[in-house]
Amino acid sequence: MHEGKRVALVVPAYNEETQIEWMLKSVPDFVDAIFVVDDASHDRTAERADGADERVEVIRHEQNAGVGAAIVTGYRRAADDGYDVTAVMAADGQMDPDDLETLVHAVASGECDYAKANRLFTRQAWELIPRARYLGNAALSFLTKIASGYWNVADTQSGYTAVNLETLRLLDLERLYPRYGFPNDVLVHLNVWSRRVRDYPSRPIYGVGEQSGIRLRKVVPTISWLLLKGFFWRMKEKYVIRDFHPLVLFYMIGLLLFGVGISLGLMETVLRRIGNPIPVATVVLVALLSVSGLQLLLFDMWFDMESNKHLHAPGFGLAAGLPAGTVVVYAPHLEAPAEVLELASGARPAGSQR
């Protein structure tokens, strides 16, 4: 229990027999229940989880359904049991248990409805995360900002999260993407319900025996397509069905102008290569359509950003509510939050030297 709120932890697991036991033993004491969802593992993941901690309950899938489906199973159980805050940690030990209290506190205190870890916020990220995964994560984070409307979040592939009971009961869990794109898809759905989402810095962990089955060549196109569909679904649900907003019209016109301009430009390029002359007026028309469409699309993004500004407070995690110009320093070695704030405001902690 944390601040009078009952806390559940969902741990999706698939073939993690070498990791799951010590990972579960690292879960902080304030967590009341741990739901390990074994997604039809072929090894002894379920058996290892059963005896790791008295708070653990193992839920088994008969068939492998994906990490997103495993999280949804845990979400349903936590919501049915009425847990006030439900967090998610991976079974491979790549999520620092010391960061769990930050996420749970943010939700339990009402600071936000959905808190997520952001590994890219720290300088360690570039040093520890494999380059291909870092760049792929950054690209998908940008696309997720556009699709979800949460321009204040990054590291959208992070599944280290916490959510309150009210939000869980609002979400249509059946609609959520069941596999690796789950964290991206859930952000799209949260925005439709106008839920407050915040990022909090988290230490990236690699080299602890984890095994990744992620293939970027497959994952990036798949999630990009998922985000494209999610973007248009959000536009329809939030800005047409629930409350008509003019940015939908601007997006439609911008996409039309930009699409026609690019298509016409490609067609004229092909004609030029086979020897046909291109009139100056055509070149001007292509430029006008393309530039006008691009400007409208950029304006729409800004419009969408302004429309969703109320879903996050100024600042980033600890920075919320601090004076303008304050710099947040992620310093887990400091013993108390007061020391972190002192360092962030420019003062030196006791005993430190410049």
Side-chain angles (χ1 to χ4, degrees), residues 228 284-285:
L228 180 63
V284 173
L285 178 62

Side-chain angles (χ1 to χ4, degrees), residues 89-306:
M89 285 182 70
D92 59 7
Q94 284 193 272
M95 297 175 179
D96 190 346
D98 292 339
D99 294 330
L100 183 60
E101 185 172 7
T102 299
L103 300 178
V104 170
H105 172 75
V107 175
S109 65
E111 186 177 326
C112 61
D113 302 304
Y114 184 85
K116 58 178 290 295
N118 184 345
R119 297 162 296 179
L120 305 184
F121 186 69
T122 69
R123 185 177 298 176
Q124 296 168 306
W126 182 251
E127 300 169 356
L128 295 177
I129 300 177
R131 292 290 184 269
R133 295 191 66 174
Y134 185 99
L135 296 175
N137 191 332
L140 289 174
S141 291
F142 177 70
L143 294 178
T144 304
K145 288 173 184 284
I146 298 173
S148 70
Y150 288 114
W151 293 85
N152 60 307
V153 302
D155 191 13
T156 52
Q157 304 317 114
S158 172
Y160 199 0
T161 63
V163 62
N164 61 27
L165 180 59
E166 179 186 2
T167 300
L168 272 190
R169 289 176 171 169
L170 283 174
L171 290 173
D172 184 357
L173 298 177
E174 292 292 335
R175 287 187 58 95
L176 296 176
Y177 189 68
R179 296 197 176 273
Y180 184 67
F182 177 86
N184 311 79
D185 195 37
V186 76
L187 287 172
V188 174
H189 285 254
L190 288 169
N191 188 268
V192 169
W193 286 104
S194 297
R195 299 283 90 186
R196 297 167 300 153
V197 176
R198 303 263 177 87
D199 267 358
Y200 294 86
S202 179
R203 181 173 66 94
I205 298 177
Y206 283 85
V208 291
E210 75 280 356
Q211 295 182 355
S212 175
I214 297 170
R215 300 293 178 264
L216 291 178
R217 291 181 181 179
K218 180 181 179 180
V219 165
V220 172
T222 300
I223 297 180
S224 298
W225 175 243
L226 172 70
L227 290 172
L228 180 63
K229 294 188 294 182
F231 168 78
F232 285 109
W233 178 79
R234 182 174 70 90
M235 290 294 111
K236 180 191 72 172
E237 289 290 324
K238 185 168 185 175
Y239 295 129
V240 176
I241 295 177
R242 302 183 184 220
D243 183 19
F244 185 78
H245 197 292
L247 76 81
V248 174
L249 295 177
F250 292 136
Y251 258 125
M252 291 174 59
I253 296 171
L255 287 170
L256 178 63
L257 292 178
F258 188 70
V260 171
I262 294 297
S263 299
L264 183 59
L266 291 174
M267 183 179 67
E268 291 297 333
T269 300
V270 172
L271 291 174
R272 178 71 179 86
R273 290 181 67 86
I274 62 177
N276 294 320
I278 301 178
V280 174
T282 302
V283 175
V284 173
L285 178 62
V286 168
L288 180 63
L289 290 172
S290 301
V291 172
S292 299
L294 182 59
Q295 286 181 327
L296 266 178
L297 291 176
L298 293 174
F299 172 75
D300 291 332
M301 292 179 190
W302 174 81
F303 213 165
D304 193 25
M305 190 185 305
E306 289 296 308

Side-chain angles (χ1 to χ4, degrees), residues 6-10 33 35 59 71-87 163-171 173:
R6 297 171 66 227
V7 180
L9 179 66
V10 175
F35 300 119
I59 305 171
I71 293 172
V72 165
T73 296
Y75 274 169
R76 283 202 193 95
R77 182 54 186 273
D80 289 344
D81 289 353
Y83 284 94
D84 301 296
V85 180
T86 302
V163 62
N164 61 27
L165 180 59
E166 179 186 2
T167 300
L168 272 190
R169 289 176 171 169
L170 283 174
L171 290 173
L173 298 177

